[in-house]
Every structure is written in structure tokens, then in C-alpha cells.
Amino acid sequence: MAFELPTLPYAHSALAGHGMCQETLELHHDKHHQAYVTALNGFVEKNAELQGKSLEDIIKHTHGKADMAPVFNNAGQHWNHSHFWPMMSPTDGGKIPARLEKKLTEDFGSVDKFKEAFKTAATTQFGSGWAWLVLQPDGKLAVTKSPNGSNPLATGEGKVLLGIDVWEHSYYLDFRNRRPDYVTNWLDKIAHYAHAEHLLG
Ligand code: MN3
């Protein structure tokens, strides 16, 4: 069965008052994410060894294989974006629930220190990529970053709780070249911490 573009869990205009305009979400979800899904389906159609595999299996199977890089990039980006949309909330953006706050404080020293680490990862990712909050196999939270379409699922760094897209297509209409402002605004007004807490288990 072909992979499909998931429905955006809110209206395209829902984050407009929070620093992510309707046109950004129309282009980002309807055009960019759709393009990754379409490309991935094209590769699967032509390659029997990919057929019948889950998205996660395709990502793990193609990671680090030079001849499979185009498949990995598009599969990774489909996974990344599918997880990115529910990691933003028009109603609960920026609100950190108590259990996650406690865990962030335990593992980073304070919520501010977590935000600082996340912002550093997101702004020092050279070129396109992502920054993540992950639950490591050792049970501790950590911040990581990935280039292009990669992610912590591929590298085994941990379970993704939160992630920000720092490709220019995700912020250029709203923040132009000011990636640090995009990241700060995203952490303070858009990030869906209740979803991250739910993923903690
Ligand atoms: Mn993107």
C-alpha cells in the first residue's frame, strides 16, 4: 500500500497568530511533505526489496547506504514531517505540563537550560535539518540534531518526543533569515509539550 500524506491536525491558518502563517503551512504540508511522499512511493514502486516494508523499516534499512540515499532522504522526511505536525499546537503551544517539566529539570538542570540546549542544536545545524528532544535508551532526555532528512530513529539515539524543522522552507516566510527567532518563538508559543509528555510513556 502506498504511503499517504497525513491530514494536518489543525487548520492551515491555526498557527498564524503564533508566528507560523497560513501560507507557510500550505506550502510546507501540502507541497513539501506531499513531494516527499510522492517521491518515496515512486522509489518503492520500482524496488522490490522495499515493498511491504513499514516506513520505519525502510528508514533503518536504507540508513548509511550511499546507493539508497535518495530513498532514505524521502522516507526520513516523510517520517519527520508526519511527527512534526502533532508536535505543534494552536491551543497548548508553549505550555509545559508538570510531569515533563520535572523530567526536563532533572535531566537538563532547568527548563531554561533545556531550551538553551535545544536552541543551540537548532541554530548550529549547518544548512538544512532538524533538532530533537529524545528519550535516550538509558532513560535520560537529550537534545540532538540531524542533517537533511535524517533523524534519531535512523541513528538509534532515542525516542523522539519533540522536533523542529530548520529547513528554510519551514520559517522563511515568517522569519526570513532569522532562524534563532523562529526557534525561540517555536519553543515558547508553538511546541506541543503535552504531546511530548504523552510520548514519554
Ligand atoms: Mn520541512
Side-chain angles (χ1 to χ4, degrees), residues 44 53 56 122 124 127-129 140 161 179 183 197:
V44 173
K53 281 190 160 68
E56 286 76 9
T124 59
S128 297
K140 283 206 162 52
L161 305 181
R179 190 193 287 188
V183 178
E197 183 182 272

Side-chain angles (χ1 to χ4, degrees), residues 165-179:
D165 187 342
V166 296
W167 285 59
E168 286 185 348
H169 65 226
S170 68
Y171 63 87
Y172 227 78
L173 290 178
D174 300 290
F175 291 92
R176 300 297 167 183
N177 58 318
R178 294 177 287 115
R179 190 193 287 188

Side-chain angles (χ1 to χ4, degrees), residues 5-40:
L5 181 70
T7 309
L8 201 60
Y10 32 75
H12 291 87
S13 60
L15 299 172
H18 308 271
M20 192 174 280
C21 71
Q22 180 170 344
E23 194 181 5
T24 291
L25 279 172
E26 284 171 353
L27 290 167
H28 200 174
H29 175 269
D30 303 4
K31 304 294 181 190
H32 288 278
H33 190 172
Q34 179 64 66
Y36 299 127
V37 173
T38 302
L40 174 60

Side-chain angles (χ1 to χ4, degrees), residues 43-187:
F43 288 122
V44 173
E45 214 177 280
K46 287 181 290 186
N47 188 335
E49 78 180 271
L50 300 174
Q51 286 160 18
K53 281 190 160 68
S54 69
L55 182 59
E56 286 76 9
D57 284 346
I58 290 177
I59 289 169
K60 289 175 187 167
H61 177 73
T62 58
H63 180 237
K65 293 180 181 155
D67 60 327
M68 293 292 233
V71 181
F72 175 77
N73 291 337
N74 285 284
Q77 283 292 71
H78 177 35
W79 191 92
N80 293 350
H81 287 85
S82 297
H83 287 79
F84 182 56
W85 311 125
M87 288 170 176
M88 303 192 283
S89 169
T91 49
D92 295 326
K95 296 172 193 162
I96 305 182
R99 191 162 65 89
L100 180 64
E101 185 179 346
K102 187 166 174 280
K103 181 75 176 148
L104 288 170
T105 305
E106 273 170 20
D107 293 350
F108 292 96
S110 68
V111 167
D112 282 350
K113 282 188 179 152
F114 150 68
K115 286 187 174 181
E116 212 177 286
F118 192 90
K119 194 174 164 177
T120 298
T123 52
T124 59
Q125 171 53 45
F126 185 76
S128 297
W130 296 76
W132 311 98
L133 171 66
V134 299
L135 180 62
Q136 297 181 140
D138 68 1
K140 283 206 162 52
L141 298 178
V143 164
T144 67
K145 59 183 175 180
S146 321
N148 302 315
S150 192
N151 58 46
L153 171 76
T155 56
E157 287 165 296
K159 180 183 182 180
V160 166
L161 305 181
L162 206 61
I164 187 172
D165 187 342
V166 296
W167 285 59
E168 286 185 348
H169 65 226
S170 68
Y171 63 87
Y172 227 78
L173 290 178
D174 300 290
F175 291 92
R176 300 297 167 183
N177 58 318
R178 294 177 287 115
R179 190 193 287 188
D181 293 348
Y182 158 64
V183 178
T184 300
N185 179 78
W186 193 87
L187 284 169

